[in-house]
């Protein structure tokens, strides 16, 4: 089976139309999520997928539009699916922050012995810049990238040839030399701020400066609700839409 990537949402943190940017990656052995924002459970519901049908979740960083749905997923696994635990793939620095600063307030339950992230998920710590086969035929490499200063954030390589930016500032050197020239990634899923200055995200204006052979590999995600007005203005890049499925070689 080829690897499939389906977008559960393609919107920015403030988008109301396209849901939080999150992806579901599937092959014949596993189904995982990349991030789980506060709209992700609703998106899964619309597809008829329940939390127990997910094998794992990879976390890129700790903003609510990327982790805000984890509490619901965990509680539904606990209360509706016989305390099932799925795998949570995360780096050690993010794991600490995720529990202590995001989830602990609502999920800490000392009376029943649920006092840590490990009590709800099978936490698998990923090492930076180390390709890890998390399920058969599905390898993730987590790459430190810059989003907001002094806040840990990662982009991903999926099976070496697919680049998923999560949230990242424009980085021409990374995209041209590492992603395309060195790794020859055939598919790039990249966040895109449609207007304004690229303070924490790559802007469309910046991405349009990339060579055409790089642009042709890029699917744009994490855009705001004005996206339809920009159709036809993205050079050789393509907007990926919510629920769209990419079927790619493993």
């Amino acid at each position: 089976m080829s690897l499939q990537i389906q977008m559960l949402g393609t919107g920015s943190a403030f988008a109301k139309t396209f849901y939080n940017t999150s992806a579901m990656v599937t092959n014949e052995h596993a189904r995982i999520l990349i991030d789980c924002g506060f709209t992700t459970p609703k998106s899964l519901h619309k597809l008829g997928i329940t939390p127990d049908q997910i094998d794992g979740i990879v976390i890129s960083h700790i903003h609510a539009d990327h982790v805000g749905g984890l509490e619901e997923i965990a509680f539904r696994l606990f209360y509706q699916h016989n305390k099932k635990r799925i795998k949570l793939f995360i780096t050690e620095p993010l794991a600490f922050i995720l529990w202590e600063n995001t989830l602990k307030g609502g999920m800490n339950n000392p009376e029943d012995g649920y006092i840590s992230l490990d009590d709800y998920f099978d936490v698998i710590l990923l090492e930076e810049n180390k390709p890890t086969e998390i399920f058969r035929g599905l390898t993730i490499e987590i790459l430190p990238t810059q989003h907001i200063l002094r806040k840990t954030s990662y982009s991903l390589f999926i099976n070496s040839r697919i680049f998923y930016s999560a949230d990242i500032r424009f980085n021409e050197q990374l995209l041209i030399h590492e992603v395309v020239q060195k790794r020859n990634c055939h598919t790039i899923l990249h966040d895109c701020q449609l207007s304004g200055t690229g303070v924490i995200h790559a802007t469309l204006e910046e991405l349009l400066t990339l060579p055409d052979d790089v642009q042709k590999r890029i699917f744009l995600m994490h855009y705001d609700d004005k996206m339809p007005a920009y159709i036809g203005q993205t050079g050789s890049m393509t907007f990926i839409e919510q629920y769209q499925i990419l079927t790619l070689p493993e």
Side-chain angles (χ1 to χ4, degrees), residues 51-64:
D52 63 315
Q53 295 174 311
I54 301 297
D55 297 298
I57 304 172
V58 180
I59 299 300
S60 68
H61 65 291
I62 313 297
H63 279 151

Side-chain angles (χ1 to χ4, degrees), residues 35 57-62 66-67 70 88-90 94 142:
D35 289 330
I57 304 172
V58 180
I59 299 300
S60 68
H61 65 291
I62 313 297
H66 293 261
V67 299
L70 285 175
L88 186 71
F89 300 97
I90 191 168
L94 287 187
I142 199 157

Side-chain angles (χ1 to χ4, degrees), residues 6-238:
Q6 183 172 24
M7 300 307 297
L8 300 178
T10 55
S12 67
F14 308 137
K16 301 298 181 286
T17 302
F18 303 111
Y19 290 19
N20 306 142
T21 292
S22 176
M24 183 166 62
V25 182
T26 306
N27 69 5
E28 62 180 315
H29 302 290
R31 173 190 279 159
I32 70 163
L33 304 183
I34 299 176
D35 289 330
C36 185
F38 46 85
T39 61
T40 301
K42 183 177 180 180
S43 189
L44 289 170
H45 176 74
K46 287 191 173 185
L47 292 174
I49 297 171
T50 55
D52 63 315
Q53 295 174 311
I54 301 297
D55 297 298
I57 304 172
V58 180
I59 299 300
S60 68
H61 65 291
I62 313 297
H63 279 151
D65 59 317
H66 293 261
V67 299
L70 285 175
E71 180 177 306
E72 178 178 337
I73 295 294
F75 280 154
R76 289 182 63 192
L77 289 167
F78 185 88
Y79 292 110
Q80 297 178 347
H81 300 289
N82 197 30
K83 300 182 180 179
K84 180 177 180 180
R85 296 197 316 168
I86 63 174
K87 296 183 185 299
L88 186 71
F89 300 97
I90 191 168
T91 63
E92 188 171 8
L94 287 187
F96 177 82
I97 297 168
L98 177 61
W99 178 254
E100 291 294 328
N101 297 79
T102 302
L103 298 179
K104 186 175 180 179
M107 297 174 65
N108 193 46
N109 184 3
E111 290 186 3
D112 292 329
Y114 284 78
I115 58 172
S116 71
L117 199 59
D118 301 87
D119 293 321
Y120 290 95
F121 295 99
D122 182 9
V123 178
I124 309 295
L125 296 178
L126 298 178
E127 294 183 34
E128 297 175 359
N129 302 302
K130 180 181 178 180
T132 303
E133 188 176 43
I134 62 173
F135 291 101
R136 184 178 174 186
L138 183 54
T139 297
I140 296 291
E141 181 179 350
I142 199 157
L143 178 75
T145 46
Q146 194 171 78
H147 175 35
I148 292 181
L149 289 177
R150 292 179 290 280
K151 286 188 179 291
T152 303
S153 187
Y154 299 99
S155 297
L156 312 174
F157 286 105
I158 305 168
N159 286 1
S160 300
R161 300 287 307 283
I162 301 161
F163 180 72
Y164 187 97
S165 75
D167 290 358
I168 187 176
R169 299 184 187 190
F170 182 63
N171 190 329
E172 180 181 32
Q173 179 80 9
L174 171 68
L175 289 170
I176 293 177
H177 298 290
E178 179 72 18
V179 174
V180 173
Q181 293 180 353
K182 180 179 177 180
R183 303 200 185 221
N184 193 25
C185 288
H186 52 68
T187 303
I188 300 170
L189 292 120
H190 207 292
D191 59 318
C192 178
Q193 180 180 310
L194 295 176
S195 60
T197 303
V199 177
I200 58 175
H201 289 282
T203 66
L204 177 58
E205 183 179 11
E206 289 171 326
L207 291 167
L208 283 168
T209 66
L210 293 169
D212 192 62
D213 69 308
V214 178
Q215 288 190 35
K216 287 178 179 178
R217 308 175 195 221
I218 294 178
F219 290 90
L220 300 172
M221 60 184 185
H222 207 283
Y223 42 73
D224 64 39
D225 288 336
K226 297 178 182 178
M227 180 274 282
Y230 288 84
I231 293 174
Q233 300 180 42
T234 60
S236 295
M237 298 177 289
T238 304

